[in-house]
Amino acid sequence: MTTTQFCLVRHGETDWNAARRLQGHTDIALNARGLIQAKQMAHALKAIHLQFDVLYTSDLQRAQQTAQAIEELYKTTAIAHSALRERHLGALQGLTTDEAPQREPELWKSHLSRGILQDLRGGESIQQFAARVQSALEEIRQKHIGKTILLVSHGGTLDMMYRVASKQALDAEKAVTVPNASLNWISHDGTGWKVNAWADTSHLEDLALDNLDL
């Protein structure tokens, strides 16, 4: 059977990340720290001699700016794909995690309880989000069967990819974290998905980590 490998990377830090402000589809740029993280991550990939056949990125600028560091170092061009965006968080977008329970108490409660049909008033439900991410993964896999795909996306999106690959229930609490600059590996052998490694930061051990510690 032919195995297709995915190496998943989360984007660098934004000012909204630092303020714990919910971004969703809001198109926020990397901050100065995030730009440094992106460059360090790209150099870490080069240091471990990571070879990949194609680079994909979410079309939101925080992911594209992170992918740009890889583009420059590897002399390649990323393919932007809107289906790799973070979940649309509806009325919660733009609120901090302190503001949300005050301004939108019922929505916040539903968000925390992972009600899979709740669209957060104008956003995506978890069920819709899962369908989008699974469809994007399958579309990309079918285009590059047997290849290694490097993919830059968002914390929530990569968590959903973990759920797809591990068959974790959509309404279950998060089982993993998605550290900045970690390498997260999933694969498909032609019959099904599996998680090969998650939250791997071993490639960063010999690099300055000051700007990677969120």
Side-chain angles (χ1 to χ4, degrees), residues 180-195:
N180 281 81
S182 65
L183 300 185
N184 308 279
W185 290 90
I186 63 175
S187 63
H188 194 291
D189 65 0
T191 60
W193 292 99
K194 79 174 201 176
V195 177

Side-chain angles (χ1 to χ4, degrees), residues 3 20 22 25 39 45 70 99 105 113 135 157 159 200 210:
T3 298
R20 299 182 62 81
L22 300 168
H25 280 200
K39 288 182 179 179
L45 296 180
I70 301 169
E99 293 167 346
S113 69
S135 176
T157 311
D159 174 74
D200 177 14
D210 301 39

Side-chain angles (χ1 to χ4, degrees), residues 19-161:
R20 299 182 62 81
R21 192 174 298 279
L22 300 168
Q23 293 178 115
H25 280 200
T26 312
D27 201 9
I28 306 299
L30 296 182
N31 60 20
R33 179 168 167 161
L35 290 169
I36 292 171
Q37 288 173 348
K39 288 182 179 179
Q40 286 190 320
M41 176 273 299
H43 280 281
L45 296 180
K46 203 72 168 174
I48 62 167
H49 308 292
L50 178 72
Q51 299 295 317
F52 58 90
D53 298 290
V54 62
L55 172 63
Y56 276 86
T57 178
S58 156
D59 66 344
L60 295 177
Q61 62 178 319
R62 55 191 185 271
Q64 288 191 303
Q65 287 179 302
T66 303
Q68 187 177 357
I70 301 169
E71 290 179 303
E72 291 172 356
L73 204 58
Y74 278 85
K75 310 301 181 192
T76 189
T77 301
I79 300 169
H81 198 318
S82 62
L84 298 177
R85 288 184 177 192
E86 182 61 277
R87 179 186 174 194
H88 194 306
L89 297 172
L92 295 180
Q93 289 187 173
L95 300 178
T96 68
T97 53
D98 289 332
E99 293 167 346
Q102 302 299 320
R103 298 190 192 178
E104 297 286 353
E106 292 305 314
L107 275 187
W108 184 245
K109 184 179 178 182
S110 177
H111 180 54
L112 293 182
S113 69
R114 296 194 65 84
I116 66 171
L117 300 179
Q118 171 60 257
D119 68 2
L120 305 176
R121 211 167 62 243
E124 288 177 293
S125 68
I126 290 175
Q127 192 171 71
Q128 290 169 328
F129 181 40
R132 165 164 68 85
V133 171
Q134 189 157 12
S135 176
L137 269 179
E138 185 59 21
E139 174 199 328
I140 293 169
R141 182 186 77 84
Q142 289 286 355
K143 284 182 180 177
H144 308 286
I145 289 176
K147 303 296 186 180
T148 296
I149 298 138
L150 184 58
L151 188 154
V152 181
S153 191
H154 307 266
T157 311
L158 299 190
D159 174 74
M160 189 57 70
M161 291 179 182

Side-chain angles (χ1 to χ4, degrees), residues 162-178:
Y162 176 90
R163 289 173 189 269
V164 168
S166 67
K167 300 179 177 62
Q168 184 191 8
L170 296 181
D171 58 356
E173 289 188 15
K174 286 187 178 182
V176 292
T177 59
V178 187

